[in-house]
Structures are given as C-alpha cells and as structure tokens.
C-alpha cells in the first residue's frame, strides 16, 4: 500500500503576519482620520455669503489703493507721456487756454456742492465710533463703511422725528475747498474746475466752498449750523475785498435748489430770513451758473424713497437678491437711513401732472434715444423743429406714468386700467416678524392690506405719487411737507408763499428783484436718464422691501426707451432735460410771474461724448451728472463768466435737445 503523507499545517510566516498587522493599522488610521474629518467639519464654521462679500470688498479696496499708490509714486510725466503716445498730443486745459488769451480773475466765485458730494466728519459719537473724532464718515476713503457698517449707518442717520441730530451724535460738514474737491481719492468733483480757475489767478481768498450738511432740510442747515448766515457773510466779505465786483455763484445738483432757497432767505425779513432787504442779490450777485440743476426734481428720487432703488441697484438686486435683501439687508439699512435725510425730499418732482404729464400725455412724448441731435442756438427755430407729426416709430412710452405695476399697465390705454383707490385703505397685519425688527422701515407698519392696496392702484403720476409717498412713508413725508412743496402757485402774492417751505420750488416762488443778475442752466445731454419705472411686488415681503423694479420688463428693440424696468429720456443720467432746462427755457424766460424783474436766462447744453479709452479717465467731453464737472467746454464757459463775460458774449443758448419744443407743450400760466 502506498503510504499517505500528511502535510504539516503551514504556519504563517513573519512577513504575512506583519502584512495583516499593517493592514489592520491602516484600517484603524483610516477610521480615525475619517472620524477626525467629521469632527473638523462639525467644528469648522461654514463659509457664508457675508464672508465672500467681505473678502471681495477687501480685495477691491486693496487693489484700488495699490494702483493708486503705484500711480502716485511714478514720475508725474510718465502717465502724460504714455497717454500722448497712444492718443496724440492733448489739448490745452481751459485754464492754460484762457490764460494765453489774457483772461484774469475778476469776480469772486462761490461753489455750492450738491447732495452726497461734500464730506461729513464726526464730532461726537457713540462707543462704537471711538477713535473717529473729526474723521470723515462721508467722502474720503470710506474705510469705516466696511469696517463697522452698522455703526456707520447709525451715525449717518438723522433723528426720524426731528430730522436733526440723534442723541449723542454730531456729524458736521467739512470746511474749505477740500470739502468737495474730491469725493474719494482719484474721483474728482470740484477739483478740476478749481485747478483751472487757479491758472488765471484765483486762490482761496477769491474762491469759497459753501459746504453744508446735505442731509438736512435747507432751513435746518441754518437752525443747526447757521450755514446760510455763513454763506451770506462770506459773499459780502468777498465782494467788498474784491473792489465791489459781484460774486459768481456756481451750484451743482441739489446745490441749485439750496441756493434758490438761499436767495429768498437772504432777503426775507427776520426771524424766518436774514433781513438782507429786497436788493441784496442785486448788490452782491453777478450771475448764478447752475450745473446739472434738478429745478423740478427727479423721478430717480421717487424710486429711491419708494424702494431704495435706482436702475443699477435694481439690476444688482435681480442678480443677487439674497445678498441685498436677506444677507446684508443692505437695502433695508439704506432705506432706513436715507428716509431720515430730509434733503432727499427736495428732489421729488414738482409741478404735478402739468409739468410731468398724466396717464395719456407727457412733454417728451415721441422721444427717440437714437435720434441724432444737432447744435442749435436759435431758440425760435428749436421750438418749431420736429413738429408733432414726426413721432418715433418705436412703441409709445407713457412717461407720465412714473410708477406702473406691470409692463402691461405701463403700455395699456388708460381707459382699460381698472384701479382701486389706496388712500383710504386699512393697513392690515404687520408684515415684519420680530426677527426683522432690527432693520425697521415704515413698511413694517403697513401690513399686507396696505401693500396690496398700493399695488392695486396700478399706476401713479406726479400728483398721485405724492399721496403714495405719504401713504407708505408717513413720518418721512410729515417732516418733508413742513420744509418742501411740490405744487404750482396760483397767486405768488399770496402771503402763504412767504414761508420757507416754498423757497426751493421755482414754481411757487419769485426770483429776486435783480434785473442785471444772469441765470445760467448748464447741463449734459445724450445720456439715458431715468424717467419712469415698472414695478412688481417682491416675491417675499416677510423681511424685504415689498416693492421692487421689475428688471424683466424690457423691450429688445435697440431704439426702445424701456430697459430693465426703467423708461429713459434725454438727460445727464440723473436729471432729465425737462427738469434742468424748463425754467430757463420758459418759466423764467423774459418777464414772467416767476421772474418779475426779467433777469436774463441762458441754456448751455453739452452733448455727452464718452472717453475714447481708459487713459482719458472720466473724459473731458462728458455730459454725465458728476463727470461733467471735468468737461472742458463747461469749465471754459464758467471761467469766462467768472472773468466778466455775459451770457450774450458766451454765444447765448447752446441747445442739442428738444427742451424748447417740450417746454412749449407745457400749459403753464406765466
């Protein structure tokens, strides 16, 4: 028999045992690492949208400051050399050109800045503002905005009851030319004009920046800071020190309305006015050269007060609604703050439907943004050109409907619009729960019933819009109605028009008795400017502002005036031509009840031409609302007036728009 061999059981070798042990250790390490990663995830805070935005703001600021530093350290001749190589030799600046002509400083000049362009600094604040004494909260680098935003909002807001300082806070205007020469580093406002005036001999003793706290109502700048008295004293001193040469006043934007108020205040008897007498302006003012003046208000102000939006913000809100509404609650903070600034209510459109149009009519009817404009200095010809029969083939825009809820409402026949009056609506249950109360706005007191009533009225013209603002923002409008008016005077001799609330409305006040004083209206044209809006209800009104511009309302036609829920007309991007030009084109032209002494008025328009390349900066031919302050043609006109030229010597009117044609359509008793 064959023997059967038994195999010995094979004992595991040292190598295989070691391998198994290694595998066990690896498994254990993997398990530990997995557990550690899980615990890290639990302990590590989530990266939020707020963090992303803060980093983005930081990157933008660092990049901006780095580029600004590099620009400042390079030889001053290098940027000029590079620019001339690319674009060719630059033309002489107005100051150099006029100095070659022999022009010299003659009349002292007074600059009156507009809304937001003048610096504000802190004199007293709460604990969160430690270390900011006399530091700029507005203008300059804006460093405090992103370092302590809620503290900044608190200190930039005024008291919602009085429109003056909140308890324990004092923010005051910066003094001197530096108050508004630059809005931020590298972003000029008055700096270019000041530098050019210096070329023909002007200096600080012949130039005065009438800086004021642009947040306050005009009369309150005198009550709190005696700003109007300071302007009066400085003008008197400058005229006396310059051999009796009268002053040339140069207001910009809201500063135009502020100085209109000043001219009534300075002559009005005390205690409401300064008691300067009926001939003060005639004795001290040669000319008022208004730049970008919103004489009759701006529709843009309505959108800002109604939903804290303008066109650009509406687009940003549509792209990132969570950031603006629920993330930072930026719009709510901005609305709460800006509704305490009484000055914003001076910009609400004035003159009602007579000026701005109704449901079926507006002066700019038939406007075409693609229509070419030619310079025209003949006012009679300008008023007759382009007769009514020449209407643009584009879809008719109803500009008189300043707010429409829905594109269909904006375009419908007025007879087809069914409206429910909102004025007597009962404001229902509060829309804001307790978690939203830290950013309180007056919408939180309206409730769903009030919000629904506003939307169901569907369309608002200039007249009904005043009632709308009183309904949605009663506290704000209660203060505003005590300081500003928006109508048209029936009888300017009525004693009620002696009250200061009427002084900044050119349709409810008279120009001073100064027949030799000239009034100029200088402004840009050729830039799409907000005129009317298509609105919708916000998707969620729990914590958000309940109304927003409907950016989906659009016309794809290149020649359309409707883009992103906003109807545009001709203007300077902020102020429509109608507001800038009407008073000098018709309301004050010749002897009228608004201009009884017949002060001469002139319109000087500047057709917008954007920079050809980035080396031109903001351009020397810009017609945009702020950038026009660097427009060489405008600066030259201002300098010639300051050096003694009259409006006739400038060439009279310079017109590119249809302002005379539109003015003739307005049926206003003169």
């Amino acid at each position: 028999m064959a023997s059967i061999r038994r195999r010995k059981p094979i004992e595991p070798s040292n190598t295989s045992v070691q391998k198994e042990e290694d595998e066990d250790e690896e498994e254990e390490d993997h398990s530990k690492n997995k557990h550690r990663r899980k615990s890290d995830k639990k302990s590590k805070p989530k990266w939020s949208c707020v963090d992303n935005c803060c980093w983005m703001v930081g990157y933008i600021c660092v990049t901006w400051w780095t580029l600004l530093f590099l620009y400042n350290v390079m030889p001053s001749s290098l940027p000029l050399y590079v620019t001339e190589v690319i674009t060719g030799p630059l033309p002489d600046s107005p100051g150099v050109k006029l100095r070659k002509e022999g022009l010299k400083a003659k009349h002292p000049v007074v600059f009156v800045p507009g809304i937001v362009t003048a610096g504000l600094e802190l004199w007293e604040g709460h604990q969160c503002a430690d270390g900011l004494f006399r530091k700029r909260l507005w203008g300059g680098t804006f460093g405090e905005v992103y370092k302590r935003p809620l503290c900044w909002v608190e200190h930039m807001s005024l008291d919602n009851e009085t429109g003056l300082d909140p308890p324990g806070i004092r923010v005051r205007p910066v003094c001197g030319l530096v108050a508004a020469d630059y809005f931020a580093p590298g972003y000029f406002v008055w700096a270019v004009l000041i530098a050019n005036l210096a070329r023909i001999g002007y200096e600080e003793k012949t130039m005065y920046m009438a800086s004021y706290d642009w947040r306050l109502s005009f009369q309150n700048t005198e009550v709190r800071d005696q700003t109007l008295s300071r302007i009066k004293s400085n003008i008197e001193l400058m005229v006396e020190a310059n051999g009796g040469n009268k002053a040339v006043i140069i207001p910009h934007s809201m500063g135009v309305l502020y100085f209109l108020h000043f001219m009534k205040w300075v002559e009005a008897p005390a205690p409401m006015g300064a008691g300067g007498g009926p001939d003060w302006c005639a004795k001290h003012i040669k000319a008022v050269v208004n730049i970008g003046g919103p004489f009759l208000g701006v529709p843009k102000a309505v959108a800002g007060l109604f939903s804290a939006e303008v066109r650009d913000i509406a687009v940003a809100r549509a792209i990132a609604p969570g950031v603006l509404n629920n993330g930072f609650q930026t719009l709510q903070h901005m609305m709460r703050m800006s509704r305490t600034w009484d000055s914003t209510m001076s910009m609400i459109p004035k003159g009602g439907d007579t000026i701005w149009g109704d449901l079926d009519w507006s002066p700019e009817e038939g406007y075409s943004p693609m229509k070419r404009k030619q310079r025209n200095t003949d006012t009679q010809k300008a008023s007759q050109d382009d007769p009514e029969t020449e209407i643009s083939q584009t879809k008719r825009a109803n500009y008189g409907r300043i707010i429409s809820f829905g594109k269909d409402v904006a375009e419908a026949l007025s007879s087809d619009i069914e409206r429910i009056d909102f004025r007597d609506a009962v404001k229902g249950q509060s829309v804001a729960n307790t978690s939203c109360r830290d950013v309180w706005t007056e919408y939180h007191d309206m409730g769903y019933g009030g919000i629904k009533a506003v939307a169901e009225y569907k369309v608002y013209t200039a007249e009904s819009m005043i009632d709308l603002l009183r309904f949605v923002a009663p506290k704000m409008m209660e203060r505003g109605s005590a300081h500003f008016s928006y109508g048209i005077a029936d009888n300017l001799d009525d004693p009620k028009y002696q009250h200061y609330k009427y002084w900044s409305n050119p349709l409810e006040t008279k120009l001073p008795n100064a027949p030799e004083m000239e009034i100029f209206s200088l402004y840009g044209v050729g830039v799409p400017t907000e005129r009317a809006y298509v609105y919708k209800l916000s998707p969620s009104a729990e914590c958000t502002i309940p109304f927003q511009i409907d950016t989906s309302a659009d016309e794809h036609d290149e020649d359309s005036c409707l883009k992103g829920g906003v109807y545009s007309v001709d203007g300077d991007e902020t102020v429509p031509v109608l507001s800038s030009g009407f008073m000098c084109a018709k309301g004050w032209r010749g002897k009228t009840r608004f201009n009884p002494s017949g002060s001469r008025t002139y319109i000087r328009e500047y057709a917008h031409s954007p920079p050809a390349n980035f080396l031109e900066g903001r351009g020397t031919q810009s017609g945009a609302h702020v950038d026009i302050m660097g427009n060489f043609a405008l600066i030259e006109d201002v300098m010639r007036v300051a050096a003694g030229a009259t409006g006739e010597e400038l060439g009279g009117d310079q017109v590119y728009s249809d302002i005379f044609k539109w003015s003739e359509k307005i049926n206003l008793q003169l």
Side-chain angles (χ1 to χ4, degrees):
M1 270 180 83
S3 62
I4 299 174
R5 290 185 182 177
R6 291 176 180 253
R7 269 189 198 176
K8 282 185 178 181
I10 300 174
E11 293 182 7
S13 67
N14 290 338
T15 308
S16 60
V17 170
Q18 184 67 38
K19 190 175 180 182
E20 285 178 9
E21 287 176 356
D22 289 345
E23 286 176 356
D24 290 342
E25 285 178 10
E26 282 178 16
E27 225 175 283
E28 190 177 344
D29 288 344
H30 180 71
S31 175
K32 285 180 181 177
N33 288 335
K34 189 174 180 184
H35 179 71
R36 191 181 296 114
R37 281 197 299 271
K38 281 183 180 177
S39 104
D40 285 347
K41 280 183 182 176
K42 287 179 183 177
S43 60
K44 196 173 184 180
K46 290 184 179 179
W47 191 259
S48 69
C49 178
V50 174
D51 296 316
N52 283 328
C53 290
C54 288
W55 275 102
M56 183 181 71
V57 170
Y59 280 132
I60 292 171
C61 292
V62 169
T63 304
W64 172 256
W65 287 329
T66 302
L67 292 174
L68 196 63
F69 171 76
L70 293 174
Y71 179 82
N72 287 326
V73 298
M74 71 173 64
S76 58
S77 59
L78 184 60
L80 181 63
Y81 172 76
V82 173
T83 302
E84 289 187 349
V85 166
I86 296 174
T87 65
L90 297 176
D92 285 341
S93 68
V96 171
K97 175 185 174 183
L98 297 183
R99 186 173 64 181
K100 289 177 181 177
E101 291 184 17
L103 264 70
K104 293 182 180 179
K106 182 177 180 182
H107 296 276
V109 296
V110 177
F111 310 117
V112 187
I115 192 168
V116 312
T117 54
L120 300 174
E121 60 188 19
L122 183 70
W123 280 81
E124 181 185 2
H126 294 161
Q127 187 175 358
C128 67
D130 284 349
L132 297 180
F133 176 68
R134 291 204 66 199
K135 297 287 177 61
R136 289 201 184 194
L137 293 188
W138 189 267
T141 62
F142 283 91
E144 299 312 313
V145 174
Y146 67 88
K147 281 199 291 188
R148 31 187 145 180
L150 293 181
C151 182
W152 177 82
V153 167
E154 179 185 3
H155 285 75
M156 281 297 295
S157 299
L158 294 170
D159 188 278
N160 203 35
E161 301 291 337
T162 65
L164 294 168
D165 294 322
I169 293 176
R170 281 186 294 149
V171 174
R172 296 294 181 264
V174 177
C175 296
L177 296 177
V178 295
D181 54 352
Y182 287 92
F183 178 62
Y187 191 89
F188 68 81
V189 184
W190 294 91
V192 180
L193 178 56
I194 291 170
N196 279 280
L197 284 166
R199 292 277 191 178
I200 62 170
Y202 280 91
E203 51 190 279
E204 193 123 20
K205 68 181 181 182
T206 49
M207 292 189 287
Y208 169 59
M209 182 70 72
S211 185
Y212 59 99
D213 190 337
W214 45 262
R215 301 171 304 160
L216 299 175
S217 70
F218 301 158
Q219 192 71 3
N220 273 345
T221 63
E222 175 65 15
V223 171
R224 196 193 73 178
D225 301 334
Q226 294 75 55
T227 304
L228 298 173
S229 293
R230 294 168 190 267
I231 296 173
K232 175 179 181 288
S233 298
N234 274 282
I235 292 175
E236 290 171 345
L237 176 62
M238 293 171 78
V239 169
E240 184 180 350
N242 282 273
N245 286 320
K246 299 177 187 178
V248 170
I249 316 299
I250 311 170
H252 173 244
S253 189
M254 191 185 76
V256 168
L257 302 178
Y258 187 66
F259 196 76
L260 194 62
H261 179 97
F262 170 85
M263 287 194 292
K264 295 298 292 185
W265 172 86
V266 75
E267 294 188 345
M272 195 174 292
D279 59 350
W280 190 95
C281 291
K283 287 180 178 178
H284 294 91
I285 301 175
K286 173 198 184 286
V288 184
V289 185
N290 302 293
I291 302 175
F295 291 103
L296 303 178
V298 289
K300 205 171 188 176
V302 177
L305 294 170
F306 185 55
S307 63
E309 293 177 293
V310 288
R311 175 167 38 203
D312 296 338
I313 292 178
V315 171
R317 186 184 195 185
I319 294 171
V323 174
L324 287 177
N325 291 331
N326 300 324
F328 286 119
Q329 293 183 299
T330 306
L331 291 181
Q332 291 93 315
H333 282 297
M334 287 302 298
M335 173 172 282
R336 184 183 67 173
M337 178 174 66
S338 62
R339 281 190 176 181
T340 68
W341 299 344
D342 288 352
S343 63
T344 58
M345 285 172 277
S346 72
M347 310 282 277
I348 293 173
K350 304 171 178 68
D353 296 356
T354 300
I355 299 293
W356 295 93
D358 56 25
L359 295 181
D360 298 311
W361 169 86
S362 66
E364 305 102 322
E365 193 173 46
Y367 165 72
S368 172
M370 301 299 291
K371 186 177 173 183
R372 292 183 60 121
K373 301 294 176 190
Q374 302 294 328
R375 177 176 171 177
N376 188 351
T377 57
D378 186 341
T379 61
Q380 183 64 28
K381 182 175 182 293
S383 66
Q384 294 175 353
D385 281 350
D386 303 323
E388 287 292 325
T389 53
E390 291 186 21
I391 299 295
S392 170
Q393 295 302 309
T394 59
K395 189 172 288 188
R396 181 172 177 266
N398 298 303
Y399 293 117
R401 305 177 189 185
I402 294 180
I403 289 178
S404 302
F405 276 88
K407 183 184 172 186
D408 55 335
V409 173
E411 296 175 348
L413 295 173
S414 60
S415 57
D416 294 338
I417 302 174
E418 295 181 5
R419 307 160 78 189
I420 300 174
D421 202 338
F422 67 94
R423 293 173 182 86
D424 298 322
V426 177
K427 296 183 178 182
Q429 181 184 356
S430 176
V431 300
N433 58 33
T434 54
S435 65
C436 306
R437 281 290 176 179
D438 57 329
V439 198
W440 177 88
T441 69
E442 290 184 85
Y443 282 126
H444 294 159
D445 294 338
M446 281 184 59
Y448 294 110
I451 290 169
K452 185 180 177 185
V454 167
E456 287 183 343
Y457 193 68
K458 295 185 179 178
V459 60
Y460 296 85
T461 64
E463 286 183 7
S464 56
M465 188 189 59
I466 303 296
D467 291 330
L468 169 66
L469 291 175
R470 288 192 179 114
F471 186 78
V472 302
K475 279 191 177 181
M476 178 191 78
M477 289 301 288
E478 184 180 355
R479 294 193 321 272
S481 298
H483 289 275
F484 303 106
S485 66
Y486 312 104
I488 300 174
D490 294 323
N491 176 15
L492 285 167
D493 294 324
D494 189 324
K496 78 173 186 178
Y497 292 111
Q498 295 174 11
H499 192 275
Y500 59 75
K501 68 180 286 185
Y502 300 103
W503 292 349
S504 61
N505 181 355
L507 300 173
E508 293 187 298
T509 193
K510 299 177 185 178
L511 285 178
N513 183 23
E516 295 182 3
M517 181 180 74
E518 295 183 314
I519 308 285
F520 294 83
S521 188
L522 281 53
Y523 55 89
V525 295
V527 189
T529 303
E530 296 173 42
R531 176 65 165 84
Y533 302 88
V534 176
Y535 267 85
K536 66 178 181 180
L537 286 172
S538 297
S540 169
E542 186 70 17
C543 288
T544 62
I545 295 169
F547 310 109
Q548 66 183 81
I549 295 172
D550 185 0
T551 53
S552 67
D554 217 335
E555 292 287 353
H556 301 294
D557 185 352
E558 186 182 354
D559 200 23
S560 171
C561 298
L562 176 62
K563 302 289 182 187
V566 180
Y567 284 98
S568 298
V569 290
D570 198 3
D572 68 2
E573 195 173 40
T574 295
V575 186
V577 163
L578 188 67
S579 182
S580 293
F582 173 78
M583 292 309 297
C584 282
K586 184 176 181 179
W588 288 331
R589 185 140 296 207
K591 283 192 177 185
T592 70
R593 65 192 183 106
F594 305 109
N595 180 18
S597 69
S599 297
R600 293 200 172 190
T601 63
Y602 300 94
I603 289 178
R604 304 283 293 176
E605 294 182 343
Y606 305 89
H608 175 70
S609 180
N613 55 67
F614 75 96
L615 293 172
E616 287 188 24
R618 288 155 63 197
T620 58
Q621 300 178 65
S622 177
H625 188 62
V626 177
D627 293 357
I628 199 173
M629 302 292 279
N631 184 302
F632 276 13
L634 178 143
I635 292 173
E636 183 176 331
D637 284 348
V638 171
M639 292 179 69
R640 289 188 184 279
V641 173
T646 65
E648 289 299 324
E649 290 169 339
L650 285 188
D653 297 313
Q654 174 179 276
V655 178
Y656 297 92
S657 74
D658 288 328
I659 182 58
F660 287 105
K661 170 189 168 185
W662 293 341
S663 297
E664 286 304 314
K665 291 182 181 180
I666 294 173
N667 184 20
L668 178 68
Q669 178 194 347
L670 298 177

